[in-house]
Amino acid sequence: MRLVDVVGLGLSALLRQKVRTLLTTLGVLFGSFVLVASLSVRQGVHETIAREYQKYGELRKIEVRPTYGGTKEIPPEKLEVRGTMSEERRQRLRQEIQRRWKQGIRVDPAKTLTRERMKEIAALDHVKSVEPVLLQHGRVTLGKKSMDALSLAAPPDSAEFRNRLMAGSFLPSADSQSVVVTEYLLYQLGIVDDADVERAPGKTLELEYRLGRPAPSLLLTLMHGGNAQVSPEEEKVLEKVLQRLPDAFAKLDLGAEERATVEKLFKPRTPTAPEGITIREPFAIAGVLRCGDGGGTEQRWGWVAGDVDVLVPSGTATEMYFRSPRHREHGFDTVIVEVDDLTHVKAVNQQILAMGLQTVSLVDLIEREQFSYLLIFSSMTVVAVVALMVAALGITNTMLMSVLERIREIGIMKAVGAREGHIQTMFLVEGALIGVVGGLLGLLMGWVASFPADAWVRSMIEQQISIKLEESIFVFPPWLVFGTPLFSVVVTTLAAFYPARRAARVNPIAALRHD
Amino acid sequence: MIATAPSISADVSVQASDLTRTYGKAAAPIHALRSVSFTIHRGERVALLGKSGSGKSTLLNLLGGLDRPSSGSVHVGGRDLARLRSRDLARHRLATVGMIFQSFNLIPSRTAAENVALPLVFAGKRRAERRKAAQHALEVVGLGQRTDHRPTELSGGEQQRVAIARALVNCPAVLLADEPTGNLDSATADDIVALLTDHVRTHGTTLVLVTHDEDLARHCTDRVLRLQDGHLLP
Ligand SMILES: Nc1ncnc2c1ncn2[C@@H]1O[C@H](COP(=O)(O)OP(=O)(O)O)[C@@H](O)[C@H]1O
Ligand SMILES: [Mg+2]
């Protein structure tokens, strides 16, 4: 028997029962449509998420933090819960005491981001750079004017700042004694005219940091809220006041008991605490930055960029930061590790975790995000597969009926020489044809429907989180285009298997008995 | 006929020995055929006579390979049908025998030509070849002009002619007809029988014709086999 004839016989049998064929095919069509849609959007969202993150180059970065706590044990007497109570309640209270204790105590970092550890991280395979996130309040002086400013350590190849350069050049090297300032800072410092801004590069800016100890201006903040703008002269006075504050208590109108309390409170707690140090150094202005246009805020540290007044080369900033013995001991709060390639991020992350440090990486995050979408759309896929199964049951049912109706025809075919295999193949082909047509139409429908659906989702995303997606959230990779119709064919052919067996086994004598 | 012993099987078309077919459960068996033995030579025309329920159709179905014997053997065209695999039995039905039934057994949704060409579909013949063969077979039975008609558009006699054309389309060595005139009026019946016997004579085909018409059996065939309650009468 030739293939064309097998298909031809199956097709003509299907066409003889048009309504029935239409309905069973519709079932398959619907099932494979939902299957195509769910798989397509699943893949599309997966790729879109990866692409959106990838765009900001943030995927290759790992944020590393020190590990805190866990070293100091709670004294056993504190864990003792007295009183008559059930053992369960005692246990609960004990656990709560322990939990609060762990929260409350200020423990020094167990694993710190010291210079040595940063070198260790930098030595790992595939690590491109290790840069601290070093945001510091300091004081800048230009000529006679001075003001508080926020400085940020920046590598000389920092792209996000480079393209805001309006005069001069960017930081020449990581260790140079130079800075880049914003036009806003210059304006505040009295450099107003365009021509003056143009001439600003090359001028000397004095930077002052107070390390390891809060500024005395904090006293003012305490007394009348608000941020205090204090000149260096004023600050010297404040310092003096602070030092002599305890002496002033004697002159206050206080009772003996009150005086004792005050003296106790103001007694220096840790006489061994390292003295804070003050750094004051001149820097050459290398360039001037345009004020931020708010762009770049979708980046992880983007919000920082908006408030920064001064960029200090990362190497120089690190060196200054570590002049404080306390900083040398405790290291940085946050360090950004850049990995050379996306595929190595997880491995590097693992190695850093193995050092006992904490990490946050967007790869984790997007994997989690992708996982949640995977769950959602996979459940849709499950529904689709179930729908296909139901359609398949419909096919089995209809074809069993059809076998009974066509039993005489089957008997005739066998009588004139059809083999069991011929009859079986004919019925299997009928099932397969329904699967081919339903599967292909479902694919087509899914593809057609993806355009309005994509447009709708895009407009929603644009309105709600103002992200303009570049590509469709529906994708049709080859495995989907070929796979889903194939799957639907396999399902419907399997559905036809039992009826086909029944048809093949028809006893021709019984089928041809004419009563 | 001179009583020459059947020397070799080359001359033998059908040979049944101790052919038995039992229906139903072992507890209450229905003996449709009881140990039937006979030989039919090539080109011989044999009538199978007997009352209704005597086992004629059962025997014919065994010869046609639609059924298998409960015991005994039946050789058609040199092969023991009892031992054939299912697919070889199908091949036997396709190539060796042609069957004609009382109730025509045409597929109503297909045209005369398509019905006639049906065996050729399972033989794997091309469409054009099938068309030609069907056309020729229909011309042989005198229906060359009715190829595209459906069975419902044909009279009983014409339908049976189509069925005959279908049985002949593969040029079978053995033609098996089970009361082919049972549903036809006597004039038409005579035409049909004449058609069958003519064809058989000119082509040297073996014919087994089931009937209960004594005259017809005697006039149109070389030999008469009589069945009664599953026994072959001597
Ligand atoms: N499938 C069957 N199941 C049970 N009994 C059967 C079956 N086919 C035939 N018979 C019985 O076998 C006997 C012979 O039947 P059959 O060969 O059809 O007779 P005929 O064709 O001579 O009228 C009858 O008694 C009939 O009832
Ligand atoms: Mg009968």
Side-chain angles (χ1 to χ4, degrees), chain A residues 97-349:
Chain A
I97 289 169
Q98 185 142 27
R99 196 175 69 82
R100 300 268 175 136
W101 162 268
K102 273 188 184 155
Q103 261 179 12
I105 54 166
R106 165 120 181 95
V107 191
D108 291 336
K111 280 284 174 184
T112 50
L113 283 165
T114 57
R115 205 197 286 264
E116 291 70 37
R117 192 146 288 121
M118 282 171 69
K119 280 195 186 125
E120 235 176 279
I121 295 173
L124 292 176
D125 279 347
H126 305 298
V127 170
K128 211 169 124 193
S129 70
V130 181
E131 298 286 353
V133 176
L134 190 49
L135 198 62
Q136 283 172 295
H137 286 279
R139 211 171 161 78
V140 294
T141 310
L142 183 70
K144 293 204 157 49
K145 288 218 171 183
S146 89
M147 64 181 288
D148 284 341
L150 192 61
S151 80
L152 180 72
D157 58 355
S158 162
E160 54 259 63
F161 289 107
R162 237 172 213 287
N163 53 27
R164 276 170 53 192
L165 204 63
M166 63 180 283
S169 56
F170 204 66
L171 301 169
S173 75
D175 302 311
S176 60
Q177 193 73 11
S178 56
V179 289
V180 168
V181 295
T182 64
E183 55 178 334
Y184 170 79
L185 185 78
L186 288 183
Y187 179 80
Q188 293 297 330
L189 290 172
I191 297 188
V192 177
D193 295 342
D194 283 353
D196 293 333
V197 172
E198 282 298 325
R199 278 195 293 273
K203 287 212 162 79
T204 301
L205 186 83
E206 199 182 62
L207 259 175
E208 182 189 318
Y209 292 111
R210 217 174 289 272
L211 303 179
R213 194 171 54 126
S217 62
L218 205 61
L219 187 66
L220 297 179
T221 313
L222 281 176
M223 290 183 80
H224 44 65
N227 242 344
Q229 286 278 342
V230 184
S231 72
E233 291 72 28
E234 289 167 335
E235 202 164 287
K236 270 179 200 136
V237 179
L238 271 176
E239 192 102 41
K240 215 169 180 179
V241 170
L242 263 176
Q243 274 163 12
R244 311 232 342 239
L245 206 53
D247 302 340
F249 296 145
K251 299 197 175 85
L252 292 175
D253 180 22
L254 294 169
E257 211 166 303
E258 286 170 325
R259 181 150 302 142
T261 309
V262 166
E263 273 163 9
K264 190 174 153 225
L265 284 174
F266 278 82
K267 199 176 83 184
R269 288 231 172 133
T270 45
T272 52
E275 265 295 291
I277 57 165
T278 301
I279 296 170
R280 190 179 296 122
E281 280 186 14
F283 286 80
I285 296 177
V288 184
L289 293 183
R290 206 179 302 114
C291 285
D293 51 2
T297 47
E298 55 279 285
Q299 274 178 291
R300 207 144 38 117
W301 290 96
W303 55 272
V304 167
D307 291 340
V308 168
D309 303 303
V310 186
L311 296 181
V312 183
S314 52
T316 310
T318 305
E319 186 272 320
M320 288 196 297
Y321 184 76
F322 280 138
R323 279 187 216 168
S324 152
R326 191 178 153 76
H327 286 171
R328 271 202 297 281
E329 191 188 335
H330 287 194
F332 289 113
D333 283 337
T334 310
V335 159
I336 302 286
V337 174
E338 192 175 344
V339 180
D340 59 358
D341 192 90
L342 196 59
T343 51
H344 299 130
V345 172
K346 282 191 104 170
V348 172
N349 192 35

Side-chain angles (χ1 to χ4, degrees), chain A residues 514, chain B residues 52-53 55-58 102 178-179 210:
Chain A
H514 58 273
Chain B
S52 179
K56 308 184 292 292
S57 295
T58 303
Q102 181 178 353
D178 192 351
E179 300 189 43
V210 171

Side-chain angles (χ1 to χ4, degrees), chain B residues 36-51:
Chain B
V36 170
S37 304
F38 61 89
T39 304
I40 300 174
H41 294 273
R42 192 181 283 203
E44 204 178 0
R45 289 166 297 162
V46 173
L48 205 53
L49 220 58
K51 284 191 294 205

